Amino acid sequence: MIDRRFFLSGLGALALAGCDTPAASPTRPQRMRAVPNAGYDAWVANFRARAPARGISQPTLERAFQGAGYLPGVIERDRNQTEFKRSLEDYLAIAASDERVSTGKQKLRSHQAVLTRIQQQYGVEPEYVTAIWGLESRYGARRGDVPVVSALSTLAYDGRRGQFFESQLVAALKILQNGDTTPDKMTGSWAGAMGHTQFIPTSYLAYAVDFTGDGRRDIWDDDPTDALASAAAYLRRSGWTPGQPWGVEVQLPPGFNTGLTGRGSKRRPGDWAALGVRDVTGRAVPDYGAASVILPAGASGPAFMIFNNFTVITRYNNSTSYVIGIGHLADRIKGGPPIRGSFPPDAQGMTLKDRKELQTRLTAAGFDTQGADGVIGSNTTSAISAYQRAKGLPVTGQPTQQLLQRLRRG
């Protein structure tokens, strides 16, 4: 989803679903239902009177709003967003899960020809385009099924950011007016992000491309070609450097001054090597250009040397975890190893390995966590609570070392 200043930060709301994260259908979310709303109808009438001054024709308005309606589910989603932040370790456990990596490798193989042509055109390596596809829509499996005109007009009328969503609605109508798709096919997330790579309408107008040459920039079709090329075009226009990695996992020497880390501190890799910074195999990092060293999980977590392409990916989503998720997934899809650095235990003293074991043992004891990815969400919390209740323990829903030890004892 592009320009996430206005949306939940994190791996696409439709695609970031670990085994412990409730999701809609395994393919697309259930369509929201429109309900009568006199205030919405009046707003639409006023908007339609104003829209021609912004370049929208009456025939386009007629087609777009035929069947459109007020979606209370959209407003509920908008107003109930929570500031929920996963740790980087949990984020990567989902973003670069074995399943997502395996599927990504398969998608890279099956779409190799078109991805190679996209690379020749835009200079963006196939594994990065595939990773964006994987994180944004789970390789097209979760593109969203909410009617975009209804969603955006609902948010423009009754949302917290009416002016922004009205601008997105106008952009969506221009897409329809250009003939790139039809109102019934223009579906997406509750907030109007669309297609395989979850473009919002203004980003679509700015960056989407017709790579198939059929006269339409179709990011919604089952064929992902235009969507993948559009993501590459976006990165290229944002300053992508071909052949440069997003970053490299590194190890810091004992006593390293962590005050030198952070995106604002840049040195050539050779200068970092002189300070004792090496890659995880012990070699100096090649000179890919000016670089920063970051510690996104703190001084006791993994360290990364990052380059210009890290910053480019932030143009797609300005979230450090998202960028590392894209970069690491791309590396894994290409055949690279998992991150080697250790993450610190969580607030309960649990490592990812501990949390996976906890989920496995709970499920074996009859309290199903719906999988064991080590990410603690509502399914695991409910399973822990049910187990505690059944055993006469205080019901906290918290994963702890004490609980894990009890489960180990049987």
Side-chain angles (χ1 to χ4, degrees), residues 341-396:
S342 298
F343 288 89
D346 62 21
Q348 306 297 329
M350 302 279 283
T351 64
L352 182 68
K353 182 179 179 181
D354 292 335
R355 296 192 296 272
K356 287 182 177 180
E357 181 184 351
L358 179 75
Q359 290 170 325
T360 299
R361 291 183 179 276
L362 278 169
T363 298
F367 302 88
D368 194 357
T369 63
Q370 303 297 313
D373 59 4
V375 179
I376 304 302
S378 59
N379 290 330
T380 298
T381 299
S382 295
I384 292 172
S385 297
Y387 175 85
Q388 291 171 327
R389 194 175 296 110
K391 301 298 182 180
L393 302 171
V395 179
T396 66

Side-chain angles (χ1 to χ4, degrees), residues 55 78 107 120 208 242 263 267 284 315-316 340 343-344 368 405 407:
D78 182 55
K107 294 295 184 181
Q120 291 168 346
R263 288 174 59 187
R267 288 173 167 79
R315 307 281 192 265
Y316 209 99
R340 299 188 186 183
F343 288 89
D368 194 357
Q405 292 299 328
L407 285 162

Side-chain angles (χ1 to χ4, degrees), residues 168-252:
Q168 296 304 317
L169 176 59
V170 170
L173 294 172
K174 289 181 179 179
I175 294 168
L176 295 172
Q177 190 161 278
N178 292 340
D180 287 304
T181 191
T182 57
D184 62 305
K185 293 180 180 178
M186 183 182 271
T187 56
S189 75
W190 66 268
M194 309 176 296
H196 291 267
T197 47
Q198 293 290 279
F199 276 38
I200 59 173
T202 51
S203 294
Y204 174 99
L205 289 179
Y207 302 108
V209 297
D210 172 21
F211 201 72
T212 62
D214 65 356
R216 295 178 296 113
R217 297 176 292 174
D218 193 349
I219 65 173
W220 302 269
D221 192 72
D222 287 341
D223 177 0
T225 298
D226 282 355
L228 300 180
S230 296
Y234 185 91
L235 294 178
R236 181 63 174 180
R237 288 182 58 183
S238 297
W240 187 264
T241 302
Q244 182 189 77
W246 67 275
V248 176
E249 188 181 1
V250 294
Q251 52 185 332
L252 307 180

